[in-house]
Amino acid sequence: MTSFKISEAARLLGVSDDTVRRWVDQGMLPVTEASPAEIPGEALAERAIELASAPRDPTDVLSSARNRFVGIVTRVQVDGVMAQVDIQAGPHRVVSLLSAEAVHELGLEVGSLAVASVKATHVVVETPKD
């Protein structure tokens, strides 16, 4: 069974080591018998899902895309007919290349609320080497 040190668990959840320790003390996260204490991977995954509540999607549309990232536009770079828009959605930075016309029609500017919708047929999953 995979388990994670408290500092690793904190980094993966995007919280401080102290927060993970408080959750352990409050019984919200179990620990293994290892010394120093480690968090079982399955329990960490469950906690990550609990914490992943996304902001309300402002578009109010039905979509077949399941990968939708609600966030704040942090950068807009228009160059001729094309543009690059960066969106910070929680810990995720999503970058989109789109037409300059689309940027203007959507009123995208730094600080705008936006949704990045990703529909792909190929996703690469990697794990670290041991």
Side-chain angles (χ1 to χ4, degrees):
M1 172 172 56
T2 303
S3 60
F4 298 89
K5 295 178 182 173
I6 287 185
S7 61
E8 294 171 322
R11 189 178 72 251
L12 290 168
L13 294 175
V15 299
S16 71
D17 295 9
D18 287 338
T19 297
V20 172
R21 286 187 193 93
R22 276 194 299 277
W23 289 341
V24 167
D25 291 344
Q26 295 168 355
M28 297 171 71
L29 274 176
V31 291
T32 66
E33 297 295 321
S35 181
E38 294 184 349
I39 311 296
E42 187 174 308
L44 189 62
E46 289 175 17
R47 187 68 180 145
I49 290 169
E50 291 170 9
L51 295 173
S53 59
R56 185 187 65 78
D57 187 337
T59 59
D60 195 31
V61 298
L62 297 175
S63 174
S64 65
R66 294 294 171 245
N67 302 308
R68 298 172 60 82
F69 300 91
V70 179
I72 300 292
V73 174
T74 57
R75 181 174 180 227
V76 177
Q77 182 177 354
V78 178
D79 184 21
V81 297
M82 295 302 294
Q84 176 180 319
V85 175
D86 294 20
I87 298 171
Q88 193 66 42
H92 307 288
R93 176 178 167 245
V94 181
V95 179
S96 178
L97 301 176
L98 59 159
S99 70
E101 180 181 15
V103 167
H104 296 300
E105 285 179 4
L106 294 170
L108 294 174
E109 58 186 23
V110 173
S112 298
L113 178 65
V115 178
S117 176
V118 180
K119 182 86 174 179
T121 58
H122 185 131
V123 176
V124 175
V125 176
E126 300 173 341
T127 60
K129 292 181 185 178
D130 285 334

